[in-house]
Amino acid sequence: MMTGFRLNLSPLKEPLGFVKLVEWLTAIFAFGSCGGFSGKNIISLFCGDGRNETLSANFHYPFRLSQVPLVEGNTTICNHSVTTTHMMGDSASSAEFFVGIAIVCFLYSMVALLVYLGYMHVYKDSDFGPIFDFVITAILVFLWLVCSSAWAKGLQNVKDATDTDGISGTLALCKGSNITCEVTEFANMRSLNISVVFGYLNMFVWAGNAWFVYKETRWHSQKFSAQSGHGRQQVPAPI
């Protein structure tokens, strides 16, 4: 059996290779739209004496909000002494899990494309290649479901912690006083919303690809051969 590299672009014209290329692209969009995020909310504090003051909340991936300072050092705001105050919440685990799975899928898709385009003759001549590919693909379908769901919940926690209610609950001077706290400028979280969409889209794309990979395994060929043989046995012999 020849095992050398043979460049052949024809797999890209077939579902097996084309869908793998789509997976590679959607993985890039998934981790790029989440891992590259940085935003800032502006909080306006309306003091009881008619004065207004502002605070800024700068947050970014991986969204360890409990380490993001709203007030740094002891300071005076609206004639109230305020100590160092940080935002509440931590969505780092779900965000990093999501980005990690996206990067793994990005790398695996590249390796798989290299095999499809250069070593397809080896891939189809062995049982190990298609079965390994199918098992990994099935695992990644499940991981996409888990990480996308976890990140969707984590993103909602980020939104709750950075809106007016979340900020008002964090700043002590906003509670039980004549000071009104309101987020007047919100960070654009469109890319984070898109990352969740791409997470679930990846799950469906990988699930669809699992079928095409399964067709390359001996499990499918044996089942097809068994069904064909059974059909031929039912044909009556000519008289």
Side-chain angles (χ1 to χ4, degrees):
M1 180 177 63
M2 299 295 293
T3 59
F5 181 84
R6 302 178 190 172
L7 181 60
N8 182 10
L9 299 181
S10 60
L12 291 178
K13 301 177 183 179
E14 302 174 359
L16 182 67
F18 178 76
V19 175
K20 189 63 67 179
L21 179 61
V22 173
E23 290 173 346
W24 180 72
L25 293 173
T26 53
I28 294 176
F29 285 114
F31 71 74
S33 56
C34 178
F37 179 83
S38 179
K40 179 174 69 173
N41 282 8
I42 301 298
I43 302 99
S44 297
L45 293 90
F46 303 96
C47 306
D49 55 4
R51 293 184 300 109
N52 298 336
E53 297 194 28
T54 60
L55 298 173
S56 60
N58 299 281
F59 54 99
H60 53 80
Y61 175 84
F63 307 103
R64 291 188 175 91
L65 300 181
S66 59
Q67 299 179 8
V68 176
L70 280 175
V71 180
E72 295 188 79
N74 297 328
T75 186
T76 300
I77 302 176
C78 294
N79 297 325
H80 289 70
S81 179
V82 182
T83 59
T84 299
T85 305
H86 293 81
M87 299 181 69
M88 298 179 63
D90 189 341
S91 297
S93 58
S94 59
E96 290 175 339
F97 181 36
F98 180 83
V99 171
I101 294 300
I103 292 175
V104 168
C105 290
F106 167 76
L107 296 175
Y108 181 74
S109 296
M110 282 201 306
V111 174
L113 282 172
L114 176 64
V115 172
Y116 294 168
L117 300 181
Y119 297 94
M120 183 57 79
H121 54 291
V122 179
Y123 179 87
K124 289 193 172 184
D125 286 343
S126 66
D127 290 336
F128 174 77
I131 292 176
F132 177 82
D133 195 11
F134 174 73
V135 171
I136 295 299
T137 300
I139 292 174
L140 290 175
V141 171
F142 174 74
L143 291 177
W144 270 121
L145 172 62
V146 174
C147 75
S148 298
S149 301
W151 170 228
K153 180 63 169 64
L155 176 57
Q156 187 59 52
N157 292 339
V158 171
K159 292 178 179 179
D160 291 341
T162 56
D163 65 8
T164 297
D165 291 338
I167 297 297
S168 298
T170 302
L171 288 171
L173 59 86
C174 298
K175 305 174 183 177
S177 66
N178 59 348
I179 301 173
T180 302
C181 303
E182 181 180 350
V183 178
T184 52
E185 292 185 26
F186 288 88
N188 188 347
M189 297 190 184
R190 183 179 303 171
S191 65
L192 298 181
N193 295 329
I194 291 174
S195 70
V196 174
V197 173
F198 270 105
Y200 286 110
L201 176 62
N202 270 284
M203 182 193 69
F204 288 113
V205 172
W206 282 81
N209 188 45
W211 164 248
F212 297 111
V213 177
Y214 172 73
K215 290 174 66 177
E216 300 295 327
T217 65
R218 58 183 172 84
W219 300 329
H220 179 266
S221 59
Q222 288 174 352
K223 181 180 179 181
F224 182 77
S225 299
Q227 290 176 345
S228 299
H230 181 69
R232 287 195 298 268
Q233 290 174 3
Q234 293 179 338
V235 177
I239 300 176

